Coordinates of all heavy atoms in Angstrom, one line a residue:
M1 N -57.8 -209.6 -52.7 CA -59.0 -209.3 -52.2 C -59.3 -207.8 -52.5 O -58.5 -206.9 -52.1 CB -59.0 -209.5 -50.7 CG -59.0 -210.9 -50.3 SD -59.0 -211.0 -48.5 CE -57.9 -212.3 -48.3
R2 N -60.4 -207.5 -53.0 CA -60.8 -206.1 -53.3 C -61.7 -205.6 -52.2 O -62.6 -206.3 -51.8 CB -61.6 -206.1 -54.6 CG -61.9 -204.7 -55.0 CD -62.7 -204.6 -56.3 NE -63.2 -203.3 -56.5 CZ -62.9 -202.6 -57.6 NH1 -62.2 -203.1 -58.5 NH2 -63.4 -201.4 -57.7
T3 N -61.4 -204.5 -51.6 CA -62.2 -203.9 -50.5 C -62.4 -202.4 -50.9 O -61.8 -201.8 -51.7 CB -61.4 -203.9 -49.2 OG1 -60.2 -203.2 -49.3 CG2 -61.2 -205.4 -48.8
H4 N -63.5 -201.9 -50.2 CA -63.8 -200.5 -50.4 C -63.3 -199.8 -49.1 O -63.7 -200.1 -48.0 CB -65.3 -200.3 -50.5 CG -65.9 -201.1 -51.6 ND1 -65.9 -200.6 -52.9 CD2 -66.5 -202.3 -51.7 CE1 -66.4 -201.5 -53.7 NE2 -66.8 -202.5 -53.0
R5 N -62.4 -198.9 -49.3 CA -61.8 -198.2 -48.1 C -62.3 -196.7 -48.1 O -62.4 -196.1 -49.1 CB -60.3 -198.3 -48.2 CG -59.8 -199.7 -48.1 CD -58.3 -199.8 -47.9 NE -57.9 -201.1 -48.0 CZ -57.9 -202.0 -47.0 NH1 -58.3 -201.6 -45.8 NH2 -57.5 -203.2 -47.1
H6 N -62.5 -196.2 -46.9 CA -62.9 -194.9 -46.7 C -62.1 -194.3 -45.5 O -61.8 -195.0 -44.6 CB -64.4 -194.8 -46.4 CG -65.3 -195.3 -47.5 ND1 -65.6 -194.5 -48.5 CD2 -65.8 -196.5 -47.8 CE1 -66.4 -195.2 -49.4 NE2 -66.5 -196.4 -48.9
A7 N -61.8 -193.0 -45.6 CA -61.2 -192.3 -44.5 C -62.2 -192.3 -43.3 O -63.4 -192.3 -43.5 CB -60.8 -190.9 -44.9
V8 N -61.6 -192.3 -42.1 CA -62.5 -192.2 -40.9 C -63.5 -191.1 -41.0 O -64.6 -191.2 -40.6 CB -61.6 -192.2 -39.6 CG1 -62.5 -192.0 -38.4 CG2 -60.8 -193.5 -39.5
S9 N -63.0 -189.9 -41.5 CA -63.9 -188.8 -41.6 C -65.1 -189.0 -42.5 O -66.1 -188.3 -42.5 CB -63.1 -187.5 -42.0 OG -62.6 -187.8 -43.3
E10 N -65.0 -190.0 -43.4 CA -66.1 -190.3 -44.3 C -67.1 -191.3 -43.7 O -68.1 -191.6 -44.3 CB -65.6 -190.9 -45.6 CG -64.7 -190.0 -46.4 CD -64.1 -190.6 -47.6 OE1 -64.7 -191.6 -48.1 OE2 -63.1 -190.2 -48.1
L11 N -66.9 -191.8 -42.5 CA -67.8 -192.8 -41.9 C -69.2 -192.1 -41.6 O -69.2 -190.9 -41.3 CB -67.3 -193.3 -40.6 CG -66.1 -194.2 -40.7 CD1 -65.6 -194.6 -39.3 CD2 -66.4 -195.5 -41.5
P12 N -70.2 -192.8 -41.8 CA -71.5 -192.3 -41.4 C -71.5 -191.8 -39.9 O -70.9 -192.4 -39.1 CB -72.5 -193.5 -41.5 CG -71.8 -194.4 -42.5 CD -70.3 -194.2 -42.3
R13 N -72.2 -190.7 -39.7 CA -72.1 -190.1 -38.3 C -72.5 -191.1 -37.2 O -71.9 -191.1 -36.2 CB -73.1 -188.9 -38.3 CG -73.1 -188.2 -37.0 CD -73.8 -186.9 -37.1 NE -73.9 -186.3 -35.8 CZ -73.0 -185.6 -35.2 NH1 -71.8 -185.5 -35.7 NH2 -73.2 -185.1 -34.0
H14 N -73.5 -192.0 -37.4 CA -73.9 -192.8 -36.3 C -72.8 -193.8 -35.9 O -72.8 -194.3 -34.8 CB -75.2 -193.6 -36.7 CG -75.0 -194.6 -37.8 ND1 -75.1 -194.2 -39.1 CD2 -74.8 -195.9 -37.8 CE1 -74.9 -195.3 -39.9 NE2 -74.7 -196.3 -39.1
L15 N -71.8 -194.1 -36.7 CA -70.7 -194.9 -36.3 C -69.8 -194.2 -35.3 O -69.1 -194.9 -34.5 CB -69.9 -195.4 -37.5 CG -70.6 -196.3 -38.5 CD1 -69.7 -196.6 -39.6 CD2 -71.2 -197.5 -37.9
D16 N -69.8 -192.9 -35.3 CA -69.0 -192.2 -34.3 C -69.7 -192.1 -33.0 O -69.1 -191.6 -32.0 CB -68.8 -190.7 -34.8 CG -67.9 -190.7 -36.0 OD1 -67.1 -191.6 -36.3 OD2 -68.0 -189.7 -36.8
E17 N -70.9 -192.5 -32.9 CA -71.7 -192.3 -31.7 C -71.9 -193.6 -30.9 O -72.9 -193.8 -30.2 CB -73.1 -191.7 -32.1 CG -72.9 -190.3 -32.7 CD -74.2 -189.8 -33.3 OE1 -75.2 -190.6 -33.3 OE2 -74.2 -188.7 -33.8
Q18 N -71.0 -194.5 -31.0 CA -71.2 -195.8 -30.3 C -71.0 -195.6 -28.8 O -70.1 -194.8 -28.4 CB -70.1 -196.8 -30.9 CG -70.4 -197.2 -32.3 CD -71.7 -197.9 -32.5 OE1 -72.2 -198.7 -31.7 NE2 -72.4 -197.7 -33.6
P19 N -71.7 -196.4 -28.0 CA -71.5 -196.3 -26.6 C -70.1 -196.5 -26.1 O -69.3 -197.1 -26.8 CB -72.4 -197.3 -26.0 CG -73.4 -197.7 -27.1 CD -72.6 -197.3 -28.4
G20 N -69.7 -196.1 -24.9 CA -68.4 -196.0 -24.4 C -67.5 -197.2 -24.4 O -66.3 -197.1 -24.2
A21 N -68.0 -198.5 -24.6 CA -67.1 -199.6 -24.5 C -65.9 -199.6 -25.4 O -64.8 -200.0 -25.1 CB -67.9 -200.9 -24.7
L22 N -66.1 -199.0 -26.6 CA -65.0 -199.0 -27.6 C -64.5 -197.6 -27.8 O -63.6 -197.3 -28.6 CB -65.5 -199.6 -28.9 CG -65.9 -201.0 -28.9 CD1 -66.3 -201.5 -30.2 CD2 -64.8 -201.9 -28.4
A23 N -65.0 -196.6 -27.0 CA -64.6 -195.2 -27.2 C -63.1 -194.9 -27.2 O -62.6 -194.2 -28.0 CB -65.4 -194.3 -26.3
P24 N -62.4 -195.5 -26.2 CA -61.0 -195.1 -26.1 C -60.1 -195.8 -27.2 O -58.9 -195.6 -27.3 CB -60.5 -195.5 -24.7 CG -61.6 -196.4 -24.2 CD -62.8 -196.2 -25.1
D25 N -60.7 -196.6 -28.0 CA -60.0 -197.3 -29.0 C -59.7 -196.5 -30.3 O -60.4 -195.5 -30.5 CB -60.7 -198.6 -29.5 CG -59.9 -199.8 -29.8 OD1 -58.7 -199.6 -30.0 OD2 -60.4 -200.9 -29.8
A26 N -58.7 -196.8 -31.0 CA -58.4 -196.1 -32.3 C -58.3 -197.2 -33.4 O -57.7 -198.2 -33.3 CB -57.1 -195.4 -32.2
Y27 N -59.0 -196.9 -34.5 CA -59.1 -197.9 -35.6 C -58.0 -197.5 -36.6 O -57.9 -196.4 -37.1 CB -60.5 -197.9 -36.2 CG -61.5 -198.3 -35.2 CD1 -62.4 -197.4 -34.6 CD2 -61.6 -199.7 -34.8 CE1 -63.3 -197.8 -33.6 CE2 -62.5 -200.1 -33.8 CZ -63.3 -199.1 -33.3 OH -64.2 -199.5 -32.3
L28 N -57.2 -198.5 -36.9 CA -56.0 -198.3 -37.8 C -56.3 -198.6 -39.3 O -55.6 -198.2 -40.1 CB -54.9 -199.1 -37.3 CG -54.4 -198.9 -35.9 CD1 -53.3 -199.8 -35.4 CD2 -54.0 -197.4 -35.7
D29 N -57.4 -199.5 -39.5 CA -57.7 -199.8 -40.9 C -59.2 -200.1 -40.9 O -59.8 -200.7 -40.0 CB -56.9 -201.0 -41.4 CG -57.0 -201.2 -42.9 OD1 -57.3 -200.3 -43.6 OD2 -56.7 -202.4 -43.3
L30 N -59.8 -199.8 -42.0 CA -61.3 -200.0 -42.3 C -61.4 -200.7 -43.6 O -60.7 -200.4 -44.6 CB -62.0 -198.7 -42.3 CG -61.9 -197.8 -41.0 CD1 -62.5 -196.5 -41.3 CD2 -62.6 -198.5 -39.9
A31 N -62.5 -201.6 -43.8 CA -62.7 -202.2 -45.1 C -64.2 -202.5 -45.2 O -64.8 -203.2 -44.3 CB -61.9 -203.4 -45.3
W32 N -64.9 -202.0 -46.2 CA -66.2 -202.4 -46.5 C -66.2 -203.8 -47.2 O -65.3 -204.1 -48.0 CB -66.9 -201.4 -47.5 CG -67.3 -200.1 -46.9 CD1 -66.6 -199.0 -47.0 CD2 -68.5 -199.9 -46.1 NE1 -67.3 -198.0 -46.3 CE2 -68.4 -198.5 -45.7 CE3 -69.5 -200.7 -45.6 CZ2 -69.4 -197.9 -44.9 CZ3 -70.5 -200.1 -44.9 CH2 -70.4 -198.7 -44.5
N33 N -67.2 -204.6 -46.9 CA -67.2 -205.9 -47.7 C -67.7 -205.6 -49.1 O -68.2 -204.5 -49.4 CB -68.1 -206.9 -47.0 CG -69.6 -206.8 -47.2 OD1 -70.1 -205.7 -47.3 ND2 -70.3 -207.9 -47.2
P34 N -67.5 -206.5 -50.1 CA -67.8 -206.2 -51.5 C -69.3 -205.7 -51.7 O -69.4 -204.9 -52.6 CB -67.6 -207.6 -52.2 CG -66.6 -208.3 -51.3 CD -67.0 -207.9 -49.9
A35 N -70.2 -206.1 -50.9 CA -71.6 -205.6 -51.1 C -71.9 -204.3 -50.4 O -73.0 -203.7 -50.4 CB -72.6 -206.6 -50.7
A36 N -70.9 -203.8 -49.7 CA -71.0 -202.6 -48.8 C -72.0 -202.7 -47.8 O -72.6 -201.7 -47.4 CB -71.2 -201.3 -49.7
K37 N -72.3 -203.9 -47.3 CA -73.3 -204.1 -46.2 C -72.6 -204.1 -44.9 O -73.3 -203.8 -43.9 CB -74.0 -205.4 -46.5 CG -75.1 -205.7 -45.5 CD -75.8 -207.0 -45.8 CE -76.9 -207.2 -44.8 NZ -77.6 -208.4 -45.0
F38 N -71.3 -204.5 -44.8 CA -70.6 -204.6 -43.5 C -69.3 -203.8 -43.6 O -68.6 -203.8 -44.6 CB -70.3 -206.0 -43.2 CG -71.5 -206.9 -43.1 CD1 -71.8 -207.8 -44.1 CD2 -72.2 -206.9 -41.9 CE1 -72.9 -208.6 -44.0 CE2 -73.3 -207.7 -41.8 CZ -73.7 -208.6 -42.8
L39 N -69.0 -203.1 -42.5 CA -67.8 -202.3 -42.4 C -67.0 -203.0 -41.3 O -67.4 -203.1 -40.1 CB -68.0 -200.9 -42.0 CG -66.8 -200.0 -41.8 CD1 -66.0 -199.9 -43.1 CD2 -67.2 -198.6 -41.3
A40 N -65.8 -203.4 -41.6 CA -64.9 -204.1 -40.6 C -63.8 -203.1 -40.2 O -63.4 -202.2 -41.1 CB -64.2 -205.3 -41.2
A41 N -63.3 -203.1 -39.0 CA -62.3 -202.2 -38.5 C -61.3 -203.0 -37.7 O -61.7 -203.9 -36.9 CB -62.9 -201.1 -37.7
A42 N -60.0 -202.6 -37.8 CA -58.9 -203.2 -37.0 C -58.4 -202.1 -36.1 O -58.2 -201.0 -36.5 CB -57.8 -203.7 -37.9
S43 N -58.3 -202.5 -34.8 CA -57.9 -201.4 -33.8 C -56.5 -201.7 -33.1 O -56.1 -202.8 -33.1 CB -59.0 -201.3 -32.7 OG -58.8 -202.3 -31.7
W44 N -56.0 -200.7 -32.6 CA -54.7 -200.8 -31.9 C -54.8 -201.5 -30.6 O -53.8 -202.0 -30.1 CB -54.1 -199.4 -31.7 CG -54.7 -198.6 -30.6 CD1 -55.8 -197.8 -30.8 CD2 -54.3 -198.5 -29.3 NE1 -56.1 -197.2 -29.6 CE2 -55.2 -197.6 -28.6 CE3 -53.3 -199.1 -28.5 CZ2 -55.1 -197.3 -27.3 CZ3 -53.2 -198.8 -27.2 CH2 -54.1 -197.9 -26.6
K45 N -56.0 -201.7 -30.1 CA -56.2 -202.5 -28.8 C -56.4 -204.0 -29.2 O -56.7 -204.7 -28.3 CB -57.4 -202.0 -28.0 CG -57.0 -200.7 -27.3 CD -58.1 -200.4 -26.3 CE -57.7 -199.3 -25.4 NZ -58.8 -199.0 -24.4
G46 N -56.3 -204.4 -30.4 CA -56.5 -205.7 -30.8 C -57.9 -206.2 -31.0 O -58.2 -207.4 -31.1
R47 N -58.8 -205.2 -31.2 CA -60.2 -205.6 -31.5 C -60.5 -205.6 -33.0 O -60.1 -204.6 -33.7 CB -61.1 -204.6 -30.8 CG -61.2 -204.8 -29.3 CD -62.4 -204.0 -28.8 NE -62.4 -204.1 -27.3 CZ -62.1 -203.1 -26.5 NH1 -61.7 -202.0 -27.0 NH2 -62.1 -203.3 -25.2
G48 N -61.1 -206.6 -33.4 CA -61.7 -206.6 -34.8 C -63.2 -206.5 -34.7 O -63.8 -207.3 -33.9
V49 N -63.7 -205.5 -35.3 CA -65.1 -205.2 -35.1 C -65.8 -205.1 -36.5 O -65.1 -204.8 -37.5 CB -65.4 -203.9 -34.3 CG1 -64.9 -204.0 -32.9 CG2 -64.8 -202.7 -35.0
V50 N -67.1 -205.3 -36.5 CA -67.9 -205.2 -37.7 C -69.2 -204.5 -37.4 O -69.8 -204.8 -36.4 CB -68.2 -206.6 -38.3 CG1 -69.2 -206.5 -39.5 CG2 -67.0 -207.4 -38.7
W51 N -69.5 -203.5 -38.3 CA -70.8 -202.8 -38.2 C -71.6 -203.2 -39.4 O -71.1 -203.4 -40.5 CB -70.6 -201.3 -38.3 CG -70.0 -200.6 -37.1 CD1 -70.7 -200.2 -36.0 CD2 -68.7 -200.2 -36.9 NE1 -69.9 -199.5 -35.1 CE2 -68.6 -199.5 -35.6 CE3 -67.5 -200.3 -37.6 CZ2 -67.5 -199.0 -35.1 CZ3 -66.3 -199.8 -37.1 CH2 -66.3 -199.2 -35.9
T52 N -72.9 -203.3 -39.2 CA -73.8 -203.5 -40.3 C -74.2 -202.1 -40.8 O -74.3 -201.2 -40.0 CB -75.1 -204.2 -39.8 OG1 -74.7 -205.5 -39.2 CG2 -76.1 -204.5 -40.9
N53 N -74.3 -201.9 -42.1 CA -74.6 -200.6 -42.7 C -76.0 -200.2 -42.4 O -76.8 -200.2 -43.4 CB -74.2 -200.7 -44.1 CG -74.2 -199.3 -44.8 OD1 -74.2 -198.3 -44.1 ND2 -74.1 -199.2 -46.1
T54 N -76.3 -199.9 -41.2 CA -77.7 -199.4 -40.8 C -77.5 -198.3 -39.8 O -76.4 -198.1 -39.3 CB -78.5 -200.5 -40.1 OG1 -77.9 -200.9 -38.9 CG2 -78.6 -201.8 -41.0
K55 N -78.6 -197.7 -39.4 CA -78.5 -196.7 -38.4 C -78.7 -197.2 -37.0 O -78.8 -196.5 -36.0 CB -79.5 -195.6 -38.7 CG -79.2 -194.8 -39.9 CD -80.1 -193.6 -40.1 CE -79.6 -192.9 -41.3 NZ -80.1 -191.5 -41.4
D56 N -78.8 -198.5 -36.9 CA -78.9 -199.2 -35.6 C -77.6 -199.2 -34.8 O -76.6 -199.7 -35.2 CB -79.4 -200.6 -35.8 CG -79.6 -201.4 -34.5 OD1 -79.5 -200.8 -33.4 OD2 -79.8 -202.6 -34.6
P57 N -77.6 -198.5 -33.6 CA -76.3 -198.4 -32.9 C -75.9 -199.7 -32.3 O -74.8 -199.9 -31.9 CB -76.7 -197.4 -31.7 CG -78.1 -197.4 -31.6 CD -78.7 -197.7 -33.0
D58 N -76.8 -200.7 -32.3 CA -76.5 -202.0 -31.8 C -75.9 -202.9 -32.8 O -75.7 -204.1 -32.6 CB -77.7 -202.7 -31.1 CG -78.2 -202.0 -29.9 OD1 -77.3 -201.4 -29.2 OD2 -79.4 -201.9 -29.6
S59 N -75.6 -202.4 -34.0 CA -75.1 -203.2 -35.1 C -73.6 -203.6 -35.0 O -73.1 -204.4 -35.7 CB -75.3 -202.5 -36.5 OG -74.5 -201.4 -36.6
L60 N -73.0 -203.0 -34.0 CA -71.5 -203.3 -33.7 C -71.4 -204.6 -33.1 O -72.0 -205.0 -32.2 CB -71.0 -202.2 -32.8 CG -69.5 -202.4 -32.4 CD1 -68.6 -202.1 -33.6 CD2 -69.2 -201.5 -31.2
Q61 N -70.5 -205.4 -33.7 CA -70.1 -206.8 -33.2 C -68.6 -206.9 -33.1 O -67.9 -206.6 -34.1 CB -70.7 -207.9 -34.0 CG -72.2 -207.9 -34.1 CD -72.7 -209.1 -34.9 OE1 -72.0 -209.7 -35.6 NE2 -74.0 -209.4 -34.8
V62 N -68.1 -207.3 -32.0 CA -66.7 -207.6 -31.8 C -66.5 -209.0 -32.3 O -67.1 -210.0 -31.8 CB -66.2 -207.4 -30.4 CG1 -64.7 -207.8 -30.2 CG2 -66.4 -206.0 -29.9
V63 N -65.7 -209.2 -33.3 CA -65.4 -210.5 -33.9 C -64.1 -211.1 -33.6 O -63.8 -212.3 -33.8 CB -65.7 -210.5 -35.4 CG1 -67.1 -210.2 -35.8 CG2 -64.7 -209.6 -36.1
L64 N -63.2 -210.3 -33.0 CA -61.9 -210.7 -32.6 C -61.3 -209.9 -31.5 O -61.4 -208.7 -31.5 CB -60.9 -210.6 -33.8 CG -59.5 -210.9 -33.6 CD1 -59.3 -212.4 -33.2 CD2 -58.7 -210.6 -34.9
E65 N -60.8 -210.6 -30.4 CA -60.1 -210.0 -29.3 C -58.7 -210.6 -29.4 O -58.5 -211.8 -29.3 CB -60.7 -210.3 -28.0 CG -62.0 -209.6 -27.8 CD -62.0 -208.2 -27.3 OE1 -60.9 -207.7 -27.1 OE2 -63.0 -207.6 -27.3
H66 N -57.7 -209.7 -29.7 CA -56.3 -210.2 -30.0 C -55.4 -209.5 -29.1 O -55.6 -208.3 -28.7 CB -56.0 -209.9 -31.5 CG -54.8 -210.5 -32.0 ND1 -54.6 -211.9 -32.1 CD2 -53.6 -210.0 -32.4 CE1 -53.4 -212.2 -32.6 NE2 -52.8 -211.0 -32.8
P67 N -54.3 -210.2 -28.6 CA -53.4 -209.5 -27.6 C -52.5 -208.4 -28.2 O -52.0 -207.5 -27.5 CB -52.5 -210.7 -27.2 CG -52.6 -211.7 -28.2 CD -53.9 -211.5 -28.9
D68 N -52.3 -208.4 -29.6 CA -51.5 -207.3 -30.2 C -52.4 -206.4 -31.0 O -53.5 -206.7 -31.4 CB -50.5 -208.0 -31.1 CG -49.5 -208.8 -30.3 OD1 -49.0 -208.3 -29.2 OD2 -49.2 -210.0 -30.7
A69 N -51.8 -205.2 -31.4 CA -52.5 -204.3 -32.2 C -52.9 -204.9 -33.6 O -52.0 -205.6 -34.2 CB -51.7 -203.0 -32.4
L70 N -54.1 -204.6 -34.1 CA -54.4 -205.1 -35.4 C -54.2 -203.9 -36.3 O -54.8 -202.8 -36.1 CB -55.9 -205.5 -35.4 CG -56.2 -206.8 -34.6 CD1 -57.7 -207.0 -34.6 CD2 -55.4 -208.0 -35.0
Q71 N -53.4 -204.1 -37.4 CA -53.1 -203.0 -38.2 C -53.7 -203.0 -39.6 O -53.7 -202.1 -40.4 CB -51.6 -202.9 -38.4 CG -50.9 -202.6 -37.1 CD -49.4 -202.4 -37.2 OE1 -48.8 -203.0 -38.1 NE2 -48.9 -201.5 -36.5
A72 N -54.4 -204.2 -39.9 CA -55.0 -204.3 -41.3 C -56.2 -205.2 -41.2 O -56.3 -206.1 -40.4 CB -53.9 -204.9 -42.3
V73 N -57.1 -204.9 -42.1 CA -58.3 -205.8 -42.3 C -58.7 -205.8 -43.7 O -58.6 -204.9 -44.4 CB -59.5 -205.3 -41.4 CG1 -59.9 -203.9 -41.8 CG2 -60.6 -206.3 -41.4
A74 N -59.1 -207.0 -44.2 CA -59.6 -207.2 -45.6 C -60.6 -208.2 -45.6 O -60.7 -209.2 -44.8 CB -58.4 -207.6 -46.5
W75 N -61.6 -208.1 -46.6 CA -62.6 -209.1 -46.8 C -62.2 -210.0 -48.0 O -61.5 -209.6 -48.9 CB -63.9 -208.4 -47.2 CG -64.6 -207.6 -46.1 CD1 -64.4 -206.3 -45.8 CD2 -65.5 -208.1 -45.2 NE1 -65.2 -205.9 -44.8 CE2 -65.9 -207.0 -44.4 CE3 -66.1 -209.4 -45.0 CZ2 -66.8 -207.2 -43.4 CZ3 -67.1 -209.5 -44.0 CH2 -67.4 -208.4 -43.2
S76 N -62.7 -211.2 -47.9 CA -62.6 -212.1 -49.1 C -63.4 -211.5 -50.2 O -64.3 -210.7 -50.0 CB -63.0 -213.5 -48.7 OG -64.4 -213.5 -48.5
T77 N -63.1 -212.0 -51.5 CA -63.9 -211.5 -52.6 C -65.4 -211.8 -52.5 O -66.2 -211.1 -53.0 CB -63.3 -212.0 -53.9 OG1 -63.2 -213.4 -53.9 CG2 -61.9 -211.4 -54.2
A78 N -65.7 -212.9 -51.8 CA -67.1 -213.3 -51.7 C -67.7 -212.5 -50.5 O -69.0 -212.5 -50.4 CB -67.2 -214.8 -51.4
G79 N -66.9 -211.8 -49.7 CA -67.5 -211.0 -48.6 C -67.9 -211.9 -47.4 O -68.7 -211.4 -46.6
D80 N -67.5 -213.1 -47.3 CA -67.9 -214.0 -46.2 C -66.8 -214.3 -45.2 O -67.1 -215.0 -44.2 CB -68.5 -215.3 -46.8 CG -67.5 -216.1 -47.6 OD1 -66.4 -215.5 -48.0 OD2 -67.8 -217.2 -48.0
R81 N -65.6 -213.8 -45.4 CA -64.5 -214.0 -44.5 C -63.7 -212.8 -44.3 O -63.6 -212.0 -45.3 CB -63.6 -215.2 -45.0 CG -64.3 -216.5 -45.1 CD -63.6 -217.7 -44.9 NE -62.4 -217.8 -44.2 CZ -62.2 -218.4 -43.0 NH1 -63.2 -218.9 -42.4 NH2 -61.0 -218.5 -42.5
L82 N -63.2 -212.6 -43.1 CA -62.3 -211.5 -42.8 C -60.9 -212.0 -42.5 O -60.7 -213.0 -41.9 CB -62.8 -210.7 -41.6 CG -64.0 -209.8 -41.7 CD1 -64.6 -209.5 -40.4 CD2 -63.6 -208.6 -42.4
V83 N -59.9 -211.2 -42.9 CA -58.5 -211.4 -42.4 C -58.0 -210.2 -41.8 O -58.1 -209.1 -42.4 CB -57.6 -211.8 -43.6 CG1 -56.2 -212.0 -43.2 CG2 -58.2 -213.1 -44.3
F84 N -57.5 -210.3 -40.6 CA -56.8 -209.2 -39.9 C -55.3 -209.5 -39.8 O -54.9 -210.6 -39.8 CB -57.4 -209.2 -38.4 CG -58.8 -208.8 -38.3 CD1 -59.8 -209.8 -38.3 CD2 -59.2 -207.5 -38.2 CE1 -61.1 -209.5 -38.2 CE2 -60.5 -207.1 -38.1 CZ -61.5 -208.1 -38.1
G85 N -54.6 -208.4 -39.9 CA -53.1 -208.5 -39.7 C -52.7 -207.8 -38.5 O -53.1 -206.6 -38.2
D86 N -51.8 -208.4 -37.7 CA -51.4 -207.8 -36.5 C -50.0 -207.1 -36.6 O -49.4 -207.2 -37.7 CB -51.5 -208.7 -35.3 CG -50.3 -209.8 -35.2 OD1 -49.4 -209.7 -36.1 OD2 -50.4 -210.7 -34.4
E87 N -49.6 -206.4 -35.6 CA -48.3 -205.7 -35.6 C -47.1 -206.5 -35.8 O -46.0 -206.1 -36.1 CB -48.2 -204.8 -34.4 CG -48.1 -205.5 -33.1 CD -48.2 -204.6 -31.9 OE1 -48.1 -203.4 -32.0 OE2 -48.3 -205.2 -30.8
R88 N -47.2 -207.8 -35.5 CA -46.1 -208.8 -35.7 C -46.1 -209.4 -37.0 O -45.3 -210.3 -37.3 CB -46.2 -209.8 -34.6 CG -46.0 -209.2 -33.2 CD -46.1 -210.3 -32.2 NE -46.1 -209.7 -30.8 CZ -45.7 -210.4 -29.8 NH1 -45.2 -211.6 -29.8 NH2 -45.7 -209.8 -28.6
G89 N -47.0 -209.1 -37.9 CA -47.1 -209.6 -39.2 C -47.9 -210.9 -39.3 O -47.9 -211.6 -40.4
R90 N -48.6 -211.3 -38.3 CA -49.4 -212.5 -38.3 C -50.8 -212.2 -38.9 O -51.3 -211.1 -38.7 CB -49.6 -213.1 -36.9 CG -48.3 -213.6 -36.3 CD -48.5 -214.0 -34.9 NE -48.8 -212.9 -34.1 CZ -48.8 -212.8 -32.8 NH1 -48.6 -213.9 -32.1 NH2 -49.1 -211.7 -32.1
L91 N -51.4 -213.2 -39.6 CA -52.7 -213.0 -40.2 C -53.7 -213.9 -39.4 O -53.4 -215.0 -39.0 CB -52.7 -213.5 -41.6 CG -51.8 -212.7 -42.6 CD1 -51.9 -213.3 -44.0 CD2 -52.3 -211.2 -42.6
I92 N -54.9 -213.4 -39.1 CA -55.9 -214.1 -38.4 C -57.2 -214.0 -39.2 O -57.7 -212.9 -39.5 CB -56.2 -213.4 -37.0 CG1 -54.9 -213.3 -36.2 CG2 -57.2 -214.2 -36.2 CD1 -54.3 -211.9 -36.2
A93 N -57.7 -215.2 -39.6 CA -59.0 -215.3 -40.4 C -60.2 -215.5 -39.5 O -60.1 -216.2 -38.5 CB -58.8 -216.4 -41.4
R94 N -61.3 -214.9 -39.9 CA -62.6 -215.0 -39.2 C -63.7 -215.1 -40.2 O -63.7 -214.5 -41.3 CB -62.9 -213.8 -38.3 CG -62.0 -213.7 -37.1 CD -62.4 -214.8 -36.1 NE -61.6 -214.7 -34.9 CZ -60.5 -215.5 -34.6 NH1 -60.1 -216.3 -35.5 NH2 -59.9 -215.4 -33.4
D95 N -64.7 -216.0 -39.9 CA -65.9 -216.0 -40.7 C -66.7 -214.7 -40.5 O -66.6 -214.1 -39.4 CB -66.8 -217.2 -40.3 CG -66.2 -218.5 -40.8 OD1 -65.5 -218.5 -41.8 OD2 -66.4 -219.5 -40.1
R96 N -67.4 -214.3 -41.5 CA -68.3 -213.1 -41.3 C -69.3 -213.4 -40.3 O -69.8 -214.5 -40.1 CB -68.9 -212.8 -42.7 CG -69.8 -211.6 -42.6 CD -70.5 -211.3 -43.9 NE -71.2 -212.3 -44.4 CZ -72.5 -212.6 -44.1 NH1 -73.1 -211.9 -43.2 NH2 -73.1 -213.6 -44.6
V97 N -69.7 -212.3 -39.6 CA -70.7 -212.4 -38.5 C -72.1 -212.6 -39.1 O -72.4 -212.1 -40.1 CB -70.8 -211.2 -37.7 CG1 -71.0 -211.5 -36.2 CG2 -69.5 -210.4 -37.8

C-alpha cells in the first residue's frame, strides 16, 4: 500500500485546532489516502480518525475505538479501506468513511 506521509508539524493549521474531545490524544502515525482527500491518524488512546482535506473543523470522524494503542495506519491502493495496527501486532481493517 502506498501512502503519503507527513510529519505532524506539516499538518494544515486547522487540524491542530480541533475541539477538546481529542485534544489530550497523541497521534502515532498519519497517512493520506492516494488522492490526498482524506488524512487518517492512529492514536495511542486507540482512536482511528479521518479528516477530510477541507477547512471545515467538523470534518473529523472517529472510525475506530480500540482498547489498545494504535501505532500504524495505511490506506489501500484504491483509497477505500484503512488498516490500523495496534501495539500487540494486530491489524484492524475499516471501510473508508
Side-chain angles (χ1 to χ4, degrees):
M1 290 182 220
R2 184 182 171 124
T3 59
H4 303 278
R5 298 192 184 273
H6 297 275
V8 173
S9 62
E10 296 176 23
L11 290 176
R13 181 170 173 78
H14 66 275
L15 296 181
D16 294 336
E17 298 169 356
Q18 294 298 322
L22 298 179
D25 215 343
Y27 298 105
L28 303 177
D29 194 23
L30 305 169
W32 285 101
N33 81 326
K37 184 176 179 184
F38 300 102
L39 177 64
S43 83
W44 73 274
K45 283 191 171 183
R47 286 192 183 107
V49 298
V50 174
W51 286 276
T52 304
N53 192 10
T54 68
K55 292 189 178 196
D56 179 6
D58 295 326
S59 70
L60 175 72
Q61 294 183 347
V62 177
V63 296
L64 176 63
E65 292 280 354
H66 191 65
D68 297 314
L70 297 175
Q71 296 185 326
V73 61
W75 289 91
S76 65
T77 54
D80 59 349
R81 298 206 24 108
L82 281 166
V83 176
F84 294 92
D86 74 8
E87 65 188 349
R88 297 179 188 206
R90 295 177 292 194
L91 299 176
I92 306 102
R94 289 290 183 262
D95 288 330
R96 180 179 57 83
V97 215

